[in-house]
Amino acid sequence: MTAAHDAARALFTTLTGHEPDGLWSAPGRVNLIGEHTDYNDGFVLPFAIPQRTVAAVGLRDDDRGRILVGSTFADEPVEVGLDELDRLFPTPSGAHPAVPEWAAYPLGVAWALRQAAPGAGPFGGVDIAIASDVPVGAGLSSSAAIEGATASALNELWGTDLDGTALARIGRRAENEAVGAPTGIMDQMASMLGEPDTAIFLDCRSLETRPVPLGVTEAGLEILVIDTRVKHAHSTGGYRERRASCELGASIMGVPALRDVSIADLLRAQELMDDVTFRRVRHIVTENQRVLDTVQLLQEHGVRAIGDLLVASHASMRDDFEISTPELDTAVETALAVGALGARMTGGGFGGAAIALIEADAVEAVSDAVNAAFATAGFAAPLLFTVSPAAGPHRDA
Ligand code: GLA
């Protein structure tokens, strides 16, 4: 049990006056490579991390059919009738949810789960208290961890009996239609299907997955996360614009999604598109290929071989997709300058975290160098920690 388990249980008891039926948790994720490819029907290679979100949950013994959600990062809990969920969601496109945004994640999961399993039930009233040790806004999918923990708990308590992929779809629906963030499905799949020491190769069109052993420790390496502490939000701004550019690019090429554009097609794409749209398209098309190449290199030569692909991915996000920040570039350049095998920003961009693949005995040296570079540049101090691939959701108590 972690501090988040204790905090979720304590909050539950404060809110309800009794013990929860159980504690369920789900992990955040790091994406090794394959950024913004998920909503283009492409390929990604994320893994779940040890940091988890915990949901303390209990069915109510009254028959009023209400759902209460509380969280350690909100002052007040939110309570609504289960039948009201269909009126609250979907949130109209571009609008804010009718409940506080943090509450739209667990309530959106409850809404989508009921819709996905109409024959199941009865869907009794329920209390949910959430605590997390996944850093929020760091590009490590704290939101998918909330969705995964809530979905796992309700799936068991409501007897809906859905599998991990179905629960990941429910999480994405909550994110897209309740919160209103136009994200893909990578984070939810990574959180739901995580396995120790393994990355998940995911085809975002078919949702087929293949575990790819990473062997980071055996290779004498570590993956260092550098959280720049620049918070991002994907319900607004740049993320939505990038997605729109990709959809425009696909329609100009006459294909359903950029997944269907090959590297050889890029010459034609350049003739047909304005420069910005073309560069957005080039990022997606080359990033899909880098994911495939990374999987192949991991299988044939091991994790030491993938550094250059991580670096190329970062350059593509910085120059073509334009989602990096000065802090992320500093993190990546500094790590590489002091010997990282590879480094790149991870997640949606516009802030959040970078990862660096480094020698296990270089954690301190790289951390010191990054801290010093941030101080020199006048950036806030970053948060640095190593991660290794971890398990997906489970019931902990
Ligand atoms: C966010 C979204 C994901 C994905 C990444 C970028 O994490 O939630 O669906 O698009 O950004 O790869």
Side-chain angles (χ1 to χ4, degrees):
M1 295 290 148
T2 63
H5 289 89
D6 295 341
R9 184 192 291 276
L11 178 63
F12 186 95
T13 315
T14 308
L15 291 174
T16 67
H18 57 87
E19 288 287 309
D21 292 344
L23 301 180
W24 288 258
S25 66
R29 66 100 188 89
V30 150
N31 189 19
L32 192 60
I33 195 161
E35 226 64 83
H36 286 257
T37 43
D38 61 351
Y39 55 79
N40 289 295
D41 277 3
F43 306 111
V44 294
L45 190 64
F47 60 86
I49 57 175
Q51 286 76 5
R52 303 178 76 84
T53 294
V54 181
V57 185
L59 286 175
R60 292 184 162 196
D61 44 22
D62 61 33
D63 58 358
R64 291 167 46 241
R66 296 185 70 75
I67 177 167
L68 173 126
V69 290
S71 155
T72 54
F73 41 89
D75 294 336
E76 294 288 328
V78 173
E79 185 179 337
V80 299
L82 284 169
D83 291 337
E84 272 176 73
L85 293 172
D86 291 336
R87 276 199 293 109
L88 290 171
F89 307 129
T91 299
S93 171
H96 289 292
V99 293
E101 187 176 284
W102 68 268
Y105 293 95
L107 292 177
V109 165
W111 165 71
L113 186 57
R114 273 162 47 107
Q115 291 207 341
F123 297 102
V126 68
D127 298 305
I128 303 173
I130 292 167
S132 183
D133 57 24
V134 185
V136 174
L140 302 175
S141 294
S142 55
S143 53
I146 295 175
E147 291 150 11
T150 310
S152 303
L154 293 179
N155 190 41
E156 186 173 332
L157 292 176
W158 280 347
T160 38
D161 204 23
L162 299 176
D163 67 14
T165 300
L167 294 181
R169 283 180 195 273
I170 281 165
R172 177 179 54 176
R173 246 197 119 188
E175 187 118 4
N176 292 169
E177 296 178 45
V179 180
T183 56
I185 201 166
M186 166 171 73
D187 305 343
Q188 292 77 15
M189 288 293 280
S191 180
M192 292 307 305
L193 302 179
E195 286 179 41
D197 206 30
T198 301
I200 301 143
F201 173 57
L202 167 65
D203 177 336
C204 298
R205 174 167 276 168
S206 66
L207 293 193
E208 273 169 330
T209 58
R210 178 149 49 94
V212 180
L214 278 185
V216 174
T217 313
E218 292 83 338
L221 300 177
E222 289 277 4
I223 295 173
L224 181 70
V225 173
I226 306 161
D227 173 6
T228 64
R229 294 247 175 84
V230 180
K231 302 258 189 268
H232 72 272
H234 294 324
S235 43
T236 49
Y239 188 98
R240 192 180 286 279
E241 280 168 28
R242 294 304 179 279
R243 189 167 179 156
S245 293
C246 292
E247 282 161 10
L248 174 63
S251 77
I252 292 173
M253 294 301 283
V255 291
L258 291 181
R259 153 71 172 273
D260 303 303
V261 179
S262 70
I263 300 225
D265 293 332
L266 284 175
L267 273 179
R268 189 164 64 91
Q270 190 161 22
E271 282 165 13
L272 295 175
M273 292 168 200
D274 66 89
D275 175 60
V276 170
T277 309
F278 171 66
R279 287 186 293 115
R280 305 298 187 248
V281 168
R282 182 166 60 185
H283 165 71
I284 300 300
V285 172
T286 57
E287 185 80 347
N288 272 328
Q289 188 60 46
R290 281 186 289 271
V291 176
L292 298 175
D293 293 347
T294 302
V295 171
Q296 192 180 350
L297 279 183
L298 282 169
Q299 283 164 346
E300 291 175 5
H301 301 285
V303 68
R304 280 187 174 269
I306 69 168
D308 290 349
L309 287 166
L310 303 185
V311 176
S313 170
H314 185 78
S316 178
M317 290 188 284
R318 183 191 58 212
D319 303 335
D320 273 356
F321 218 58
E322 296 181 282
I323 55 172
S324 190
T325 63
E327 291 83 355
L328 289 165
D329 292 342
T330 299
V332 166
E333 283 155 24
T334 308
L336 292 173
V338 291
L341 284 76
R344 61 187 285 280
M345 53 148 281
T346 185
F350 307 103
I355 53 168
L357 183 65
I358 62 176
E359 301 291 345
D361 60 10
V363 173
E364 215 178 302
V366 176
S367 303
D368 289 349
V370 170
N371 276 320
F374 271 55
T376 306
F379 301 150
L383 188 64
L384 295 143
F385 53 95
T386 58
V387 286
S388 41
H394 42 72
R395 183 172 183 167
D396 302 306

